[in-house]
Amino acid sequence: ETLPAVVDSRAVVNVAVGGHYNLTGDGKWVVHGGYATDRSPVGDADTIFTKVHLRKITTGVSGRTKYFLGSLGLQFTSGQSGEILVHTLQNGRRLTTDFDVAGLGLIYSLALLF
C-alpha cells in the first residue's frame, strides 16, 4: 500500500550567538567563535521530506597587515534525522531508521589592500 504524498511544514525558531576577542590592542588580530541552530521546518505529517535538526559551531582567526587582510576558520556541523519509515510489513509492524549528519568545513578569505 502506497501512502499519499503529504507535504507538511511548521514554524521554527533558530538561535545564533557569537563573539570575538581582540588578540592585539590595535585590533589587527582577532579570534572569533559562534554557535547556531538550524532546525528543520518539516512537519510531523510530511511523507516526502526528512526532518533533520542541525547545530553549527564555528571558530576562526582574522588578521590584517599593511598589504593583506585575511581570515581562516573551521565550522563543525552535526545533527540527527527524525524517524524515517522504511517499510510496513504485512503484519502491520513498521520498519524505521534514522541517521546522523556530521561535517567539517574550512572557511577562508584573503584580500589585497592597496
Side-chain angles (χ1 to χ4, degrees), residues 13-67:
V13 174
N14 287 308
V15 176
V17 295
H20 67 271
Y21 178 77
N22 291 332
L23 295 173
T24 58
D26 59 6
K28 289 187 176 183
W29 293 96
V30 181
V31 66
H32 308 269
Y35 173 82
T37 62
D38 188 2
R39 299 192 44 84
S40 173
V42 176
D44 293 333
D46 199 299
T47 61
I48 303 295
F49 298 102
T50 301
K51 183 186 303 186
V52 180
H53 300 302
L54 299 175
R55 297 170 299 283
K56 298 179 182 186
I57 297 172
T58 58
T59 185
V61 64
S62 61
R64 180 184 191 119
T65 65
K66 185 175 180 181
Y67 298 108

Side-chain angles (χ1 to χ4, degrees), residues 71-94:
S71 64
L72 180 66
L74 291 174
Q75 176 177 279
F76 177 70
T77 304
S78 66
Q80 188 173 37
S81 74
E83 188 177 88
I84 302 166
L85 177 63
V86 177
H87 188 69
T88 303
L89 301 176
Q90 287 181 345
N91 65 4
R93 183 174 173 211
R94 295 168 40 102

